[in-house]
Amino acid sequence: MVTATRAPADPGTPTEPTTGRPAVRLLRALPVPLALITMIALAGVALGRVYADPLLTRLILGSAIGSVLISVAARRLPSWLVAPVSVAGLAGWTLFSLRLAASHAALPGSLAEVTADAARNAIPRLLTAMIPVEPAPDTVLLPLVAAWLTGLAAAEVALRTGRVLLGYLPPVLLYAGAVYVVGPNADPAIAPTVAFAAVAAAGLAMPSHRDGPASADPAAGLAPTVRAAVRLRLLAASAAGVAVVVALAALLAPLMAAQVDDRPVDPRRYVEPPQVESLDENPLIRISGWALNPDQKLLEVRTEAGPATPARIRLAVLSDYDGVTWRVGATYRNAGRILPVTDPAPGVTTDTVRQQITVADLTGRLLPAVPTPREVTGARVAYDPATGTLIRPEGLTPGLRYTVTSAREHLDGNLLATANVPAGEPVARVLRVPDGAPEQLRRLATQLAEQNGAPYARATAIQDFLAEHYRVTADAPSGHAYPNLTFFLFGPRNGGGQRGTSEQFAAAFAVLGRLAGLPTRVVVGFAPNGDGPVRAANASAWPEVLFEGVGWVPFDPMPRPDQEPRPVEQDFRPPPDDPPPSQVPEPTLEPTPTAPADAAAGPRADQHGPGTPVLVGGGSGALLLLLGLTLLTLATLRRNLTRARLERGDPGRRIAGAWRELTDALRLAGHKVGDVLAAAEVAEQARRTLADARTARPGQPAAGAVDGGPDELAGLLNQVAFAPHTTTAGQADRAAELATRYATALRATRPWWRRLLWSIHPGPLRWRR
């Protein structure tokens, strides 16, 4: 009986060896998975060059091992089950990694809160984080997820379909992305790149578990004339491939060589760093409001370590002056728990101060700390290394408690008398005097500078002049524009002039200092009396001057409490044609706080390049493009496989290929054909499967000619098995028609999403082996 014949394997497909020692099979199965794991891990090494410690590299290595090993272990499962299993593993590894990173960075909050925050802010914080980046949940989430998905995609393509070179594409893209994110912020990744290329080449060169005796010569077993033609085509294809590679190398090598000395593009310049609110851009004008409410509790301070003498707490540093307002003008970068350390200038000693600070009524984003902070726990911060100031991007809230460890500097006063001040472009920002400076201010600065030649003597003269001639009053109007400072310095005493808060004293010192050639800035902060509440009465502003070899030196132009100021006219008399101002300038109004969402809504006007939405959209578009290319590749491979089975070869091969199309259709419908079934039994199973599917879905066409197709195709298959030389081209065409009709009819009974998946399912590419 011919019906006892078993279905033959796919014609022309090498048979996988069933014998051999387990050690040999294991050795042949290892090279490609090990190469994929190593390549993904090397991408982590390349990205880890901008991280503060190797935690990120270890997490990416775990993602590489987990994703590839799950794909290896699940090779016997249907391909559509591998992705859910791998994603479940990704979820577990991600939660473990985020918990480890949160503990490493000492971040407060539950795992759910940390995970939600990291998912919302992973991309912008990664691209705005200060370098070296601390491995925190928001800075490790995106790399480890990308590494896991890379391992999943690479393993499925390289191991299931056997296309190792195509499987290398995801790790190559991941490595290129890591190098791009690093940009110019680290040394060239020469060693990882060479190792990456070497591992990729080794993975291609090593024999795989699919290599067998039949694969040694693809033309083995063919007739001599056919074998010669096949070998000639293989030789021509190989020569064409080599020619394409050589041509590409000759074309691209000069272009790539020309880029060796170029500075890489830094993607961080396209992303808006955290910004302060309008309330914090000029906190100097808040001094007058605090002076009118001296009992308002702003902070609670407890010193945990450090000297017994109270430490001055700094809130903001204002370096930019436009003739109207002093502004912060800092560039804040998201930072981890440990902040960058800069060596103090020669002659400057430091001691460690650790304070626990609890926020009360202080609002805004600026985070108070003793200068210079080195470690912050209990709050996520952004840091400006140029000024040593902190912000909390989410804004301050009552009850916020954090701990700051700072390196408080102590200056050697003996160095100041002979210290010079820097000049030139590096300090042009803190030397700039805006246009429109009143002549009286220029004349006063010139008079003080002429009488004192050394920079420190000039700064001391300005300090003493302000302390000796002006008085402090809490109800002085706010303002530090040129008209306000002119009235403060030269206005009549009986008309409200020559009095002010620390706002006017600090701003007047800074402007007079710049007019006298001193690099100056204004600092806003608090001078607590010790541990306990820090109230509005403790708020103050003071000027600082930059000296070479020493750094920024604070000055105190405030008058002594027991000293009666003498009139300005005794030391400085304006010319008769330049009388002192008599009209009180308009006070500067304190801006209303900007909502956190509005403050970070758009980029600054002076920044160029796409912002975060563009980057996110571009990244999403790239992912969609990659997904589309993957689906297109699978559809093309499936279509080429069907054409090869139904249209190429002698009639016997085409009939066997048609039978394989029928059995693949059954398997795609969820009915795997048993290996021990005869052809007639498979045909019966095919007819029953189609009938049941039509019954389960009303509206399908009634039984027709297609229902007898499996039996007729089984008869042709048996003819191939027992009388291979009697089959004709017409019978092969009939077999192709029957297989196509059956697959189309069975596909039409599937749900819509299964019909979409039918043409791109990678299963037939693997089952044919």
Side-chain angles (χ1 to χ4, degrees), residues 273-331:
Q275 301 296 318
V276 295
E277 301 179 1
S278 58
L279 182 69
D280 293 327
E281 187 64 29
N282 179 23
L284 186 58
I285 61 176
R286 305 179 69 180
I287 294 293
S288 61
W290 286 332
L292 294 176
N293 299 278
D295 295 330
Q296 182 184 11
K297 182 180 177 181
L298 303 177
L299 304 169
E300 181 82 23
V301 175
R302 182 168 64 88
T303 303
E304 298 179 349
T309 56
R312 181 179 283 178
I313 299 175
R314 183 169 59 190
L315 181 67
V317 173
L318 297 89
S319 303
D320 299 333
Y321 184 60
D322 58 5
V324 179
T325 56
W326 285 88
R327 298 187 179 277
V328 170
T331 301

Side-chain angles (χ1 to χ4, degrees), residues 13-258:
T13 301
T15 304
E16 189 171 329
T18 58
T19 61
R21 292 175 298 174
V24 174
R25 294 199 300 269
L26 179 62
L27 182 62
R28 289 177 174 176
L30 283 178
V32 174
L34 288 180
L36 295 177
I37 292 174
T38 306
M39 293 165 71
I40 297 173
L42 287 173
V45 173
L47 182 61
R49 294 175 299 150
V50 294
Y51 278 74
D53 56 58
L55 177 61
L56 174 78
T57 304
R58 296 169 184 169
L59 295 179
I60 290 183
L61 176 61
S63 294
I65 295 175
S67 59
V68 174
L69 290 187
I70 285 179
S71 293
V72 171
R75 288 188 60 201
R76 301 288 182 182
L77 297 177
S79 59
W80 61 270
L81 276 179
V82 178
V85 172
S86 187
V87 169
L90 169 62
W93 177 249
T94 300
L95 291 177
F96 169 78
S97 301
L98 293 183
R99 183 172 184 176
L100 182 64
S103 175
H104 178 79
L107 290 180
S110 63
L111 179 59
E113 295 172 344
V114 169
T115 303
D117 179 77
R120 288 193 304 266
N121 303 294
I123 295 178
R125 286 184 183 163
L126 177 63
L127 293 179
T128 58
M130 178 173 298
I131 297 175
V133 181
E134 182 174 13
D138 50 3
T139 59
V140 303
L141 176 61
L142 183 62
L144 71 89
V145 170
W148 188 287
L149 296 180
T150 297
L152 170 61
E156 287 301 296
V157 175
L159 301 180
R160 281 188 179 266
T161 68
R163 289 167 172 79
V164 179
L165 189 59
L166 184 61
Y168 280 176
L169 179 60
V172 169
L173 293 177
L174 180 68
Y175 191 87
V179 173
Y180 176 74
V181 169
V182 172
N185 300 290
D187 295 332
I190 298 178
T193 303
V194 172
F196 187 92
V199 170
L204 290 173
M206 294 291 291
S208 70
H209 69 290
R210 297 190 183 277
D211 294 334
S215 63
D217 184 4
L222 300 177
T225 56
V226 177
R227 183 166 60 250
V230 170
R231 288 177 175 173
L232 182 61
R233 290 181 61 183
L234 291 176
L235 181 61
S238 300
V242 172
V244 170
V245 172
V246 172
L248 288 176
L251 180 64
L252 298 179
L255 299 177
M256 298 185 67

